[in-house]
Amino acid sequence: MAFPDRIERTIEIAHAPAKVWAALTTAEGLSAWFGQQAGIDLRPGGSAWMKWDGGHTADMRVERVEEPTVFGYTWKVPGLPEDDPRRTYVEFTLEPVASGTRLTVVETGFAQLPDEVRGKEYDDHTKGWKHELGELVDHLDAAA
């Protein structure tokens, strides 16, 4: 059996797509729920980054921007050498629904990783998306 390559989470958020979009695609939005600091050049090929209080950083490259429905980026994988070109791809899809927004996040690219990194990263990201999407909802609810 092949190693899973995909993490997918879908949640319904009681906020308009424009508010969810801003939380996903602006430095202010990202730093309010995902990292403690963030920067983003919102265009395909643009760079983005996040930093956390514990010193962890994430360097990202914007890959897809279809406002207000699709936002995708790749990011470096912890545990790989700094110059390693392998990345995972994260894509957010926003769909308006009666209750607000249906948000789906899909992360792919784990199967390409070396054995010594793959399992830990897949498990960490599986748990991480559940936690981070909860943080997103909490942020949007508090800002309402």
Side-chain angles (χ1 to χ4, degrees), residues 88-121:
T88 59
Y89 176 69
V90 177
E91 186 170 276
F92 295 94
T93 304
L94 293 77
E95 176 186 352
V97 293
S99 61
T101 305
R102 178 175 298 123
L103 175 66
T104 300
V105 61
V106 176
E107 184 172 9
T108 59
F110 296 95
Q112 69 177 325
L113 302 178
D115 292 344
E116 63 272 11
V117 174
R118 181 185 318 130
K120 178 184 182 327
E121 289 306 312

Side-chain angles (χ1 to χ4, degrees), residues 7-139:
I7 298 168
E8 182 171 345
R9 296 275 182 265
T10 300
I11 61 170
E12 291 202 8
I13 303 173
H15 298 278
K19 288 190 178 197
V20 178
W21 180 263
L24 298 173
T25 62
T26 67
E28 179 183 47
L30 287 168
S31 63
W33 69 274
F34 206 170
Q36 276 73 50
Q37 297 176 0
I40 186 168
D41 177 4
L42 188 61
R43 61 180 177 81
S47 65
W49 56 269
M50 289 185 291
K51 293 182 182 179
W52 287 262
D53 290 341
H56 179 70
T57 63
D59 293 314
M60 301 142 27
R61 183 177 55 239
V62 175
E63 302 291 347
R64 189 170 174 197
V65 179
E66 296 177 20
E67 186 174 352
T69 57
V70 181
F71 170 57
Y73 62 84
T74 55
W75 57 1
K76 293 183 178 184
V77 177
L80 294 181
E82 188 64 30
D83 62 348
D84 194 301
R86 290 174 287 190
R87 297 169 164 259
T88 59
Y89 176 69
V90 177
E91 186 170 276
F92 295 94
T93 304
L94 293 77
E95 176 186 352
V97 293
S99 61
T101 305
R102 178 175 298 123
L103 175 66
T104 300
V105 61
V106 176
E107 184 172 9
T108 59
F110 296 95
Q112 69 177 325
L113 302 178
D115 292 344
E116 63 272 11
V117 174
R118 181 185 318 130
K120 178 184 182 327
E121 289 306 312
Y122 184 84
D123 290 346
D124 286 353
H125 289 227
T126 299
K127 294 172 191 165
W129 282 119
K130 182 177 180 180
H131 173 78
E132 294 300 343
L133 292 176
E135 294 280 326
L136 171 61
V137 170
D138 291 347
H139 159 67

